[in-house]
Amino acid sequence: MGAMANFRKSIIFSVFFFFSMLLVKTSSSSPPSSNLQILTAERRIDLTSHIVRVYLTLKVENTGEAPAAEVLLAFPPAQFDHLALVKAAATVGKKKKKSYLPLEVNPSDHPDAPNGTKYYSISLLKPLAKDESITLEIHYILTHSLEPFPAEISQSESQLVYYHDSAVILSPYQIKQQASMVKTPTSKVESFTRVEPTDRSGTELRYGPYEDRHPYSYSPVIIHLENNNAFAVVEELEREIEISHWGSVQVTEHYNLAHAGARHRGIFSRVEYQSRPSISGVSSFKHLLAELPPRVHSVYYRDDIGNISSSRLRTNSKKSELLIEPRYPLFGGWKATFVIGYGVPLQDFLFESDDGSRYLNYTFGCPLSETVVDKLTIKVVLPEGSKNPSVKAPFTVEHSLETKYSYLDVIGRTVVVLEKKNVVPEHNVPFQVFYNFNPMFMLAEPLMLVSAFSLFF
Amino acid sequence: MAALETPQPSTLRHAFGNVLSIFVLLLIGVFAFSIRLFSVIKYESVIHEFDPYFNYRVTQFLTKNGIYDFWNWFDDRTWYPLGRVIGGTVYPGLTLTAGTLWRILNTLNIPLSVETVCVFTAPIFSAFASWATYLLTKEVKGVGAGLTAAALLAMVPSYISRSVAGSYDNEAVAIFALIFTFYLYIKALNTGSLFYATLNAIAYFYMVCSWGGYTFIINLIPMHVLLCIVTGRYSSRLYIAYAPLVVLGTLLASLVPVVGFNAVMTSEHFASFLVFIIIHVVALVYYIKGMISPQMFKVAVTLVVSVGLIVCGAVLAVLIALVASSPTKGWSGRSLSLLDPTYASKYIPIIASVSEHQPPTWPSYFMDINVLAFLVPAGIIACFLPLSDASSFAVLYIATSVYFSGVMVRLMLVLAPAACIMSGIALSEAFGVFTRSIKFQLPGVSQNSPVNAGDAGNVMQNDVVKTEKSEDSLKERPSRKNKKKEKDKVERASVVPQIEKRLLVLPLEASIIAIFLLVLLGAFYVVHCVWAAAEAYSAPSIVLTSRSHDGLHVFDDFREAYGWLRHNTEVDDKVASWWDYGYQTTAMANRTVIVDNNTWNNTHIATVGTAMSSPEKAAWEIFNSLDVKYVLVVFGGLVGYPSDDINKFLWMVRIGGGVFPHIKEPDYLRDGQYRIDSQATPTMLNCLMYKLSYYRFVETDGKGFDRVRNTEIGKKYFKLTHFEEVFTTHHWMVRIYKLKPPKNRIRGKTKKAKSKASSKRSGTPKKNPWH
């Protein structure tokens, strides 16, 4: 416990430190320093699902006199809006003993940026002195960035999408040497823009190497490729996590699911869908996999007109897998709503910190695999009589409080509401909600029932 | 209570008997509730069938928008383009009950969903109904009979079929209201208390709110009053029980929008007014009789009768002329088909097409009321020993309800409580006789009790025996009370039963065997009821299951289709289907329908029937003129679901042909036989229903074998020109088609031009498909 407290204190301290640093930086609002330059840059774009994942390796060198404490990442405005997550890490050590130190990344604002370029700034652990260099591993995720073209397809066609990007990496710094690799789901690529040298083999497309590109170089490319993966988008997800100190955490998740790929056009023929599954409706999907916590119990899957009988649950000690099938297969543009609910044992998720307060440690994000959530609302319903709720999440979320009345409540339960837009599976990391609770409140409702019952006699 | 008022040596025993009977009643209530939960346990907590979906939708509206909006609700999502005034055409009792229940629960912070409340309304009210039966039968024949009748009613299959969890229909609360109204009437009749008479009017009001079957009450009670007058049983109690009911009841009934002025204007209510007049005349006669001497009375009678007859004749003639001037003689179609069982099939095919409006078969009597059918005659005999006002009412009730149930299978529901009351009386009297004979022949209790405990294994029978004993004194109490008020009731109060008891002594062995057989009969009834509740009446009918060698198979196609419509069509799209699916489509798919299960506009239904039985182009024109975007058909041929649209199709033809004479039923029949195989008529094979049902069906198995009709279909390969398939469910049970948009007028020209162009360009490379 003591060690843990120390650890937590240090985390809080470091978070505080970063925030204060950030404050200093943003208030100064200095234009991007051009003292830095990038020696080598390698970018790998993964287009195999409908979530675009980009891995960027930069080797940054400081050529100027002043030490640099932050490195800027530039994004075109169209991409910036679709960014779900940006993570950065510094590589430490040589080949064998390589390790990664996570770095703080925050959006930063520079009004004088050319063509509306947007920035993220990576705060280095220690400022980069003159002629020093550092290797950064950056991972960012784009959603809704594959544009179906044609926008409408019939049942027998497969789905083709456009991906827009630049052949050279957009950066406020000069890049000495760079290359980009694009990985496509199948070897079927209808067309792609050539920016020599460009090379294509199998499912990989290679742009570069390019030498000595100036800051803000940009050469747009369009790749037209086949992607028949499930474009499963949850337009709105509301997860309600209700804590009962009587031994269970009840989770209810309301989904508004849509197929965000190319819209389905014309007829839907069941006979073709059933008899020729390899040709017919290849871009549609009929089931999704939800990963639930282990020891999950009383799982249900229904919608507003009743139970949906097509689901399978597999449990083991590590995790539970729930395979859900919506009432009908989802073709492009089709929608479905449903509710998944389950209970998990309290002791797996509720802990007591040493200052006497309790905290819920639960996974953020959406349990469905490879799904984008446009708007996620998490409501943590604390037991009646809890006080001083506070939230700790590994990324910025909006939170607010409201009150809910559940079974036989008198004063109502405090609900901590967390909201986040554009959530991807990488957001499935634990978050904590702290609160104070007096166990005497547990007895309030049973006592109320007993006294009401005895009133009759 | 009884024990407190009349200090007797066995005070403690009576108190014990009362506590026991309350406990037994509680158990009966719990049992009535829980036997109806099979559907939730075997399937899920969901609304069943068709009509309950409408009630559920109305309840949702009520809870969301409040009562005033509910009264003024004009529903534009149904009967497009006419719409329907819901507030004025619906019996609001059920929805108001469930809505109030929901509101109370929510103010107590018990956040149950509206659906949950709706699902469990019927089981809750069946518990109430069995308690009401207890009260009614207690008034007729005492506590023992009451408890037996309540237990029988709690599990009578006929009632279970309408009140399982999820069966959220008017009958669910109406049966309770019916029995309770009868109880209050009998109570008012027995006590002569104005308090109960007022309560009776209120209960009647609740019944009017709940169900169209209230006309049964307002005809049965006058009949009973008339019977009492004719048999010389007129008393001031009868007057008090009846007159307030007519005045207050009619006033209250006309407050219900759906009844309104019908409460005084239609023929269904005339009997009550006529008897109302008669009872006043009789009351006047009795009053005058008490005042003047017999000789004067005779003179007065002749005078009054001669003048009165002339006046009455004149009034009656005017009334008859008025009534006869209306085409249906002031009766609604459903009432007429009750009075004349052949009426509906002759004139209103839409009433005749509903399976629950058909006359029942003999097996359905056995299925629905089981052993009660054999016990009822015994009960009727018991009611005549001795005949009281209350027991004559019970006899009248059973007699009329037997007739009604014989006309319409649906009204078996009205018979069920009557049968339970009668059987309860019969069983309880029989047990009374047998146990008494055992008791009289074996003064040594030591041998008696083990026999009793031995064979009366289940609790119910034991209680009956015990409460039977306490009943004697309870029965004496009201009669003793009445002795002070009424003189004419004395004869049959306490002395006669005592003598009878001594006479009705049977041989010991015979009694023991008879008791054993009765217990066996009861056990058989219980087994049958539980089986019926579990197997026969619990299926929600929107989700079907079948058991095969590889486990349970679920057919959830209806909800699949409704779910698809709900999420993947525009909010304002209109969906045409046969009226059976109207309520479900509005409730589950939330889309506007053309016709629904509230079959108020025959022409509109006939239009849809005509479209379904027309060839494609004509059908398209009809549907297009109705602004329809999607057509939904139910097809069971792939999985063998028998109640699909092809099997209902002849009704569509009949109803359509009733309004639009160009649709002729013989065109669809080959030598009077309805068939869809290669022998079928071309009209049949080209009608829309056939085409939409069997479109591309042949591609599933190569032959097009229909598993419902057990034949290969007649026309296998055809194309649709004006409709396109947009959705078919997993088991093909629901197929949804979209109307193709109208073609451009210059189509003929472009077609020619196109064919020329294509022949010229045949060698040219492919066009860019993205243009």
Side-chain angles (χ1 to χ4, degrees):
Chain A
M1 275 297 176
M4 191 156 171
N6 279 337
F7 176 64
R8 272 198 47 226
K9 267 178 199 158
S10 66
I11 282 181
I12 290 170
F13 178 72
S14 58
V15 167
F16 179 71
F17 177 71
F18 280 126
F19 270 104
S20 58
M21 246 174 70
L22 191 79
L23 256 157
V24 173
K25 288 293 162 203
T26 45
S27 57
S28 69
S29 180
S30 61
S33 77
S34 50
N35 294 335
L36 294 174
Q37 70 165 346
I38 295 169
L39 298 176
T40 57
E42 192 189 55
R43 183 172 59 161
R44 291 181 306 281
I45 304 172
D46 184 0
L47 300 181
T48 49
S49 96
H50 70 124
I51 302 169
V52 179
R53 295 186 169 86
V54 184
Y55 303 89
L56 195 62
T57 312
L58 300 177
K59 192 166 184 201
V60 187
E61 190 190 39
N62 190 359
T63 52
E65 292 296 325
E70 63 172 6
V71 178
L72 287 178
L73 285 176
F75 293 98
Q79 260 185 12
F80 184 83
D81 294 339
H82 292 141
L83 268 177
L85 184 75
V86 183
K87 285 200 286 196
T91 318
V92 187
K94 291 278 179 274
K95 292 258 167 173
K96 283 280 163 71
K97 290 176 171 177
K98 222 182 210 177
S99 65
Y100 300 100
L101 290 175
L103 299 174
E104 188 79 8
V105 186
N106 287 97
S108 72
D109 230 12
H110 297 286
D112 53 346
N115 298 331
T117 309
K118 305 276 187 176
Y119 297 96
Y120 271 86
S121 76
I122 303 168
S123 316
L124 300 177
L125 285 177
K126 63 179 196 314
L128 206 60
K130 181 174 159 44
D131 291 336
E132 245 184 344
S133 71
I134 186 168
T135 309
L136 298 174
E137 292 285 344
I138 296 145
H139 176 38
Y140 62 88
I141 295 171
L142 298 166
T143 59
H144 297 288
S145 295
L146 296 176
E147 178 203 346
F149 189 85
E152 288 192 341
I153 55 170
S154 70
Q155 191 179 348
S156 55
E157 289 173 294
S158 74
Q159 179 172 264
L160 299 170
V161 292
Y162 274 152
Y163 177 66
H164 302 262
D165 207 337
S166 162
V168 291
I169 299 163
L170 183 70
S171 173
Y173 314 115
Q174 190 178 22
I175 306 179
K176 289 265 186 203
Q177 194 181 35
Q178 62 172 312
S180 298
M181 270 77 76
V182 182
K183 199 177 170 211
T184 58
T186 57
S187 56
K188 193 179 166 197
V189 177
E190 290 280 301
S191 65
F192 56 94
T193 317
R194 286 186 171 273
V195 180
E196 292 304 334
T198 305
D199 184 35
R200 189 191 148 205
S201 63
T203 60
E204 201 178 76
L205 199 64
R206 188 184 175 88
Y207 284 99
Y210 306 113
E211 313 267 332
D212 276 331
R213 293 291 167 135
H214 293 292
Y216 300 110
S217 308
Y218 193 77
S219 78
V221 293
I222 299 180
I223 304 165
H224 194 198
L225 66 148
E226 184 190 56
N227 189 338
N228 280 324
N229 284 302
F231 276 45
V233 173
V234 182
E235 292 176 334
E236 216 174 322
L237 170 59
E238 190 186 305
R239 304 179 79 192
E240 191 180 271
I241 302 163
E242 188 166 339
I243 304 167
S244 160
H245 278 248
W246 288 98
S248 146
V249 176
Q250 187 65 38
V251 185
T252 318
E253 298 168 347
H254 296 261
Y255 290 85
N256 275 356
L257 183 71
H259 186 302
R263 294 186 65 81
H264 178 69
R265 183 187 62 204
I267 62 164
F268 165 67
S269 169
R270 178 68 74 169
V271 66
E272 274 175 23
Y273 183 74
Q274 279 172 339
S275 57
R276 287 188 284 274
S278 57
I279 313 163
S280 176
V282 276
S283 68
S284 70
F285 60 92
K286 65 174 184 187
H287 44 67
L288 292 166
L289 191 69
E291 198 176 291
L292 305 180
R295 304 216 284 151
V296 65
H297 62 84
S298 42
V299 181
Y300 62 86
Y301 169 48
R302 55 171 296 152
D303 64 4
D304 33 12
I305 54 176
N307 181 47
I308 308 172
S309 44
S310 45
S311 60
R312 275 201 308 278
L313 180 71
R314 250 171 307 179
T315 51
N316 60 32
S317 57
K318 295 257 174 58
K319 63 184 177 186
S320 310
E321 281 184 336
L322 178 71
L323 188 76
I324 55 168
E325 228 175 276
R327 289 194 185 274
Y328 39 87
L330 280 164
F331 280 79
W334 287 12
K335 291 174 182 178
T337 60
F338 53 88
V339 180
I340 300 176
Y342 49 89
V344 284
L346 186 75
Q347 64 267 29
D348 292 6
F349 297 97
L350 195 79
F351 306 97
E352 199 167 344
S353 59
D354 16 278
D355 59 339
S357 70
R358 286 146 215 269
Y359 68 95
L360 172 85
N361 186 34
Y362 207 80
T363 314
F364 198 85
C366 166
L368 295 182
S369 58
E370 282 302 291
T371 312
V372 173
V373 183
D374 288 346
K375 187 177 175 224
L376 172 68
T377 312
I378 296 187
K379 292 185 171 176
V380 181
V381 183
L382 302 176
E384 196 176 21
S386 355
K387 290 189 185 74
N388 309 327
S390 65
V391 184
K392 201 174 130 223
F395 32 76
T396 49
V397 287
E398 293 170 34
H399 66 267
S400 56
L401 293 180
E402 56 184 50
T403 311
K404 181 194 168 183
Y405 291 91
S406 184
Y407 292 93
L408 295 172
D409 285 350
V410 180
I411 51 172
R413 305 179 181 207
T414 313
V415 183
V416 181
V417 185
L418 308 174
E419 279 185 36
K420 183 160 176 62
K421 295 209 163 109
N422 219 355
V423 178
V424 288
E426 277 74 4
H427 282 116
N428 290 3
V429 286
F431 72 101
Q432 290 83 31
V433 175
F434 293 83
Y435 63 96
N436 291 325
F437 181 71
N438 185 349
M440 282 310 284
F441 276 102
M442 279 166 73
L443 298 175
E445 277 167 16
L447 283 180
M448 209 161 75
L449 277 182
V450 168
S451 51
F453 186 71
S454 48
L455 267 182
F456 280 110
F457 300 103
Chain B
M1 292 286 276
L4 290 177
E5 276 179 34
T6 51
Q8 284 172 354
S10 55
T11 310
L12 202 69
R13 223 174 111 194
H14 287 289
F16 179 69
N18 277 332
V19 169
L20 193 67
S21 57
I22 287 170
F23 186 64
V24 170
L25 274 179
L26 207 68
L27 283 182
I28 288 173
V30 171
F31 179 66
F33 181 80
S34 48
I35 197 174
R36 286 164 171 83
L37 299 187
F38 275 111
S39 62
V40 171
I41 293 159
K42 286 184 74 178
Y43 294 88
E44 55 180 287
S45 168
V46 72
I47 308 280
H48 291 197
E49 306 266 344
F50 304 102
D51 287 16
Y53 267 97
F54 170 73
N55 297 324
Y56 170 49
R57 184 161 160 260
V58 174
T59 315
Q60 271 182 321
F61 185 89
L62 173 71
T63 50
K64 213 195 240 165
N65 298 327
I67 179 111
Y68 293 105
D69 280 351
F70 165 66
W71 289 126
N72 297 325
W73 186 19
F74 178 79
D75 186 10
D76 58 352
R77 298 201 82 77
T78 178
W79 291 97
Y80 184 83
L82 308 169
R84 176 182 172 193
V85 185
I86 299 278
T89 58
V90 79
Y91 286 100
L94 176 75
T95 42
L96 288 179
T97 308
T100 317
L101 214 60
W102 181 82
R103 186 134 300 172
I104 290 171
L105 287 174
N106 270 272
T107 42
L108 288 176
N109 279 331
I110 301 176
L112 291 176
S113 68
V114 179
E115 191 189 2
T116 315
V117 174
C118 292
V119 165
F120 291 102
T121 300
I124 290 170
F125 270 80
S126 1
F128 292 168
S130 53
W131 292 335
T133 310
Y134 162 76
L135 292 172
L136 174 58
T137 320
K138 194 183 97 181
E139 285 305 311
V140 177
K141 272 286 170 185
V143 179
L147 285 175
T148 322
L152 291 175
L153 185 99
M155 54 185 158
V156 63
S158 165
Y159 185 30
I160 285 179
S161 73
R162 293 311 187 112
S163 63
V164 291
S167 180
Y168 179 57
D169 211 346
N170 288 336
E171 289 93 330
V173 296
I175 292 302
F176 158 71
L178 180 83
I179 301 171
F180 197 61
T181 312
F182 285 156
Y183 157 68
L184 286 170
Y185 169 68
I186 297 294
K187 186 81 182 172
L189 185 60
N190 277 353
T191 57
S193 143
L194 201 55
F195 171 68
Y196 283 111
T198 319
L199 280 188
N200 186 21
I202 292 169
Y204 172 66
F205 173 60
Y206 183 65
M207 178 69 192
V208 177
C209 281
S210 307
W211 196 31
Y214 75 92
T215 47
F216 182 60
I217 297 184
I218 206 62
N219 284 305
L220 185 64
I221 291 180
M223 273 164 80
H224 178 244
V225 171
L226 205 60
L227 186 79
C228 285
I229 292 170
V230 168
T231 52
R233 290 175 160 272
Y234 172 79
S235 63
S236 59
R237 289 174 291 111
L238 186 68
Y239 182 83
I240 287 169
Y242 183 66
L245 173 70
V246 173
V247 178
L248 282 178
T250 308
L251 277 177
L252 287 170
S254 53
L255 291 181
V256 182
V258 64
V259 178
F261 278 106
N262 284 351
V264 286
M265 282 169 63
T266 58
S267 301
E268 280 98 341
H269 305 81
F270 271 7
S272 63
F273 299 129
L274 198 65
V275 174
F276 187 65
I277 296 167
I278 292 172
I279 199 171
H280 275 95
V281 172
V282 173
L284 190 72
V285 169
Y286 271 79
Y287 179 68
I288 294 168
K289 203 178 180 181
M291 286 213 308
I292 54 179
S293 64
Q295 286 85 5
M296 281 289 282
F297 182 69
K298 266 181 188 164
V299 175
V301 163
T302 44
L303 193 79
V304 168
V305 163
S306 52
V307 175
L309 270 182
I310 295 163
V311 175
C312 280
V315 170
L316 268 181
V318 170
L319 274 179
I320 287 167
L322 272 179
V323 169
S325 63
S326 83
T328 58
K329 303 189 174 50
W331 298 85
S332 71
R334 274 178 204 189
S335 311
L336 267 185
S337 58
L338 271 184
L339 297 176
D340 173 12
T342 57
Y343 177 81
S345 49
K346 272 189 280 186
Y347 300 108
I348 321 173
I350 206 145
I351 290 183
S353 77
V354 181
S355 62
E356 61 182 24
H357 292 165
Q358 309 290 342
T361 51
W362 285 114
S364 74
Y365 273 99
F366 187 71
M367 176 71 197
D368 276 356
I369 55 174
N370 201 247
V371 301
L372 305 186
F374 310 117
L375 290 171
V376 163
I380 295 175
I381 294 168
C383 278
F384 280 103
L385 300 168
L387 189 70
S388 65
D389 291 348
S391 63
S392 69
F393 180 78
V395 172
L396 197 64
Y397 178 22
I398 185 91
T400 44
S401 61
V402 163
Y403 168 72
F404 287 135
S405 72
V407 177
M408 255 189 213
V409 66
R410 183 183 184 186
L411 293 177
M412 194 76 94
L413 193 58
V414 177
L415 171 67
C420 287
I421 292 166
M422 282 301 166
S423 313
I425 291 170
L427 273 180
S428 136
E429 292 289 306
F431 272 109
V433 168
F434 295 137
T435 49
R436 219 178 291 122
S437 12
I438 293 173
K439 204 163 89 182
F440 274 114
Q441 286 179 36
L442 291 175
V445 195
S446 54
Q447 283 175 340
N448 184 5
S449 53
V451 173
N452 242 335
D455 63 5
N458 65 33
V459 187
M460 184 190 77
Q461 314 296 3
N462 246 332
D463 296 333
V464 173
V465 176
K466 278 175 191 161
T467 44
E468 178 66 24
K469 288 168 195 160
S470 61
E471 170 229 346
D472 298 336
S473 60
L474 272 177
K475 209 173 139 194
E476 282 167 36
R477 186 181 55 87
S479 51
R480 205 172 286 165
K481 242 183 173 179
N482 291 336
K483 238 185 271 178
K484 292 163 199 162
K485 296 178 192 167
E486 299 281 328
K487 298 258 167 167
D488 57 340
K489 233 192 149 190
V490 187
E491 296 89 49
R492 52 162 189 82
S494 58
V495 192
V496 181
Q498 290 298 334
I499 298 164
E500 271 177 356
K501 276 174 196 167
R502 296 221 176 273
L503 292 176
L504 286 171
V505 169
L506 293 168
L508 176 65
E509 293 77 18
S511 316
I512 291 170
I513 289 169
I515 285 181
F516 178 70
L517 287 178
L518 278 183
V519 171
L520 212 64
L521 194 70
F524 177 69
Y525 176 71
V526 172
V527 168
H528 172 80
C529 290
V530 172
W531 171 82
E535 300 295 331
Y537 291 137
S538 286
S541 97
I542 64 161
V543 47
L544 311 161
T545 53
S546 79
R547 224 173 272 278
S548 63
H549 54 89
D550 54 343
L552 196 73
H553 205 74
V554 180
F555 299 90
D556 204 359
D557 285 38
F558 286 107
R559 286 191 293 188
E560 182 184 345
Y562 294 134
W564 185 85
L565 276 175
R566 186 187 186 99
H567 294 297
N568 300 309
T569 57
E570 296 295 318
V571 182
D572 284 336
D573 286 346
K574 281 86 192 169
V575 181
S577 65
W578 190 233
W579 59 263
D580 294 27
Y581 314 105
Y583 278 164
Q584 291 186 348
T585 311
T586 40
M588 282 197 268
N590 193 19
R591 291 293 171 269
T592 309
V593 295
I594 305 299
V595 290
D596 69 20
N597 309 43
N598 176 265
T599 51
W600 67 274
N601 188 328
N602 192 35
T603 317
H604 220 51
I605 292 178
T607 312
V608 174
T610 308
M612 290 295 189
S613 27
S614 303
E616 220 189 317
K617 187 159 171 35
W620 185 89
E621 272 158 13
I622 293 172
F623 281 140
N624 195 46
S625 71
L626 286 171
D627 216 1
V628 169
K629 202 123 178 237
Y630 296 94
V631 181
L632 180 150
V633 294
V634 173
F635 170 64
L638 186 74
V639 288
Y641 170 64
S643 50
D644 65 348
D645 277 348
I646 289 285
N647 273 3
K648 290 173 186 168
F649 182 59
L650 270 193
W651 286 111
M652 303 184 202
V653 173
R654 268 172 216 159
I655 293 168
V659 178
F660 302 99
H662 69 275
I663 303 289
K664 296 183 195 70
E665 193 179 334
D667 291 349
Y668 297 85
L669 304 174
R670 171 76 70 191
D671 305 328
Q673 267 191 313
Y674 178 59
R675 53 202 309 172
I676 45 105
D677 55 7
S678 48
Q679 298 294 307
T681 60
T683 323
M684 178 68 213
L685 294 181
N686 282 314
C687 73
L688 185 72
M689 181 49 74
Y690 180 90
K691 284 194 163 180
L692 297 190
S693 291
Y694 293 115
Y695 178 62
R696 297 187 78 177
F697 177 58
V698 69
E699 290 172 46
T700 51
D701 59 352
K703 288 189 304 199
F705 186 80
D706 186 320
R707 290 194 195 159
V708 177
R709 268 66 60 176
N710 277 324
T711 50
E712 275 183 39
I713 58 172
K715 197 172 167 186
K716 293 177 182 173
Y717 300 94
F718 54 87
K719 281 191 173 151
L720 294 174
T721 46
H722 296 89
F723 294 85
E724 60 181 10
E725 183 187 10
V726 287
F727 191 74
T728 298
T729 56
H730 190 248
H731 302 100
W732 289 56
M733 276 164 59
V734 184
R735 309 194 70 182
I736 300 170
Y737 292 84
K738 192 177 181 178
L739 270 74
K740 280 188 185 167
K743 295 258 165 64
N744 277 337
R745 275 289 163 84
I746 49 163
R747 177 173 151 260
K749 279 182 188 172
T750 49
K751 205 177 180 183
K752 273 178 203 163
K754 213 178 171 183
S755 62
K756 273 181 199 166
S758 64
S759 62
K760 270 183 204 166
R761 268 202 294 162
S762 56
T764 53
K766 262 190 192 169
K767 254 201 316 186
N768 187 352
W770 314 138
H771 282 285

